[in-house]
Amino acid sequence: MNHEKNECVIITIDMRIDLMTLFPDLAENVFNDALFAIARSKDLMDYRVHNIRDYTHDKHRTVDDYPFGGGAGMLMKPEPIFEAVEDVLSDKGPDEEVPIVLMTPQGEKLTHKLVQEFASYKRLVIICGHYEGVDERVREHLVTHEVSIGDYVLSGGELPAFVLCDAISRLIPGVLGSDESAQTDSYADGLLEYPQYTRPPVYRGWEVPEVLLSGHHGNVDKWRRKESLKRTMERRPDLLEGFEYSKADLKLLKEIQNEGDK
Ligand code: 6GU
C-alpha cells in the first residue's frame, strides 16, 4: 500500500529463486550486490536464502554423517534437505511446476540452452551440495535436475549456484540495461562475440580497426559477423557442429579461408 497516494501498487516479481545453503550469510551478501541487487531493486527477481541447518532437530544441528559402507568424507543427511525444500514449497500452487536443482559436479553441464530453460519458470529451488556429496535419496526422490558448471571440483555448490542465478537473472527482460545486450552475447546466437573497442581510437600506438570508425553500418555488421565466425572457428570449433550458415556466412567463410591461405 502506498499510503501517501492512498493507492495500491501490485508488484509482480518475474521470478523467485529459493536457495538452500549451509552458508546463508555468503548468499545474502552475494544477492545484495551487483546484478542481483539491481534485479531485486527493480522487483524483477526475488532471491530467498534458507539455511539448511535450520531444519535440523538435534542439539548439534547436524547436517552431515558418515557414509554407510565406509569410505572417506561425510555426506549431507537427507532429512534437513527434504524438510527445507518441502517447507519452502508449501505455498506452491497444485499445478505450479518448480524445478528443484541440485548443484553437483556430477550434474549436467550448464549451457546457455539449460539457462534459458530455467529462466522460463516462475520459480526455482536450488540446493547447494557440500562435503563429499548428498544422500542418494535426495537425488532420487527430491531433485528434478542436477547441474554442474564444469569439469573441476569445488568445495561446495554455493559458487556454482551463484553462477546459475547470474546467468538466469540476466536473461529476465529488464534486468540488463537493454534487452538487446542479452541477445547479442556470445552463445546467444551460437557464435562467440566479435572484438569490441571503445575510446581512445589509438592507445599506445594500437589502433582500433578502421572499419569501426567509418560509420558505415553495413561494413561494420559484416566485419563483426566475420570476426565472430573466425573467433568461433579458432577457439570453439565444437560450437559450429550443426551450425546453420547463411549464404552471407558462407561467403565470409570463404574470405577467411583465402586470408588464411595467403
Ligand atoms: Cl555444481 N559443485 C561442486 N562442488 N563442484 C563443481 C560444480 C558443482 N560444478 C563444477 N564443479
Side-chain angles (χ1 to χ4, degrees), residues 5 68 112 116 125 160 163:
K5 287 191 188 159
F68 280 122
H112 183 66
Q116 279 177 314
V125 173
V163 168

Side-chain angles (χ1 to χ4, degrees), residues 226 229 233 245-262:
K226 189 170 163 183
L229 286 164
M233 281 164 66
Y245 298 102
S246 67
K247 255 194 185 149
D249 286 340
L250 293 173
K251 215 173 130 207
L252 291 173
L253 284 183
K254 226 171 233 160
E255 283 183 29
I256 294 168
Q257 216 162 24
N258 289 341
E259 284 161 22
D261 291 344
K262 271 183 204 158

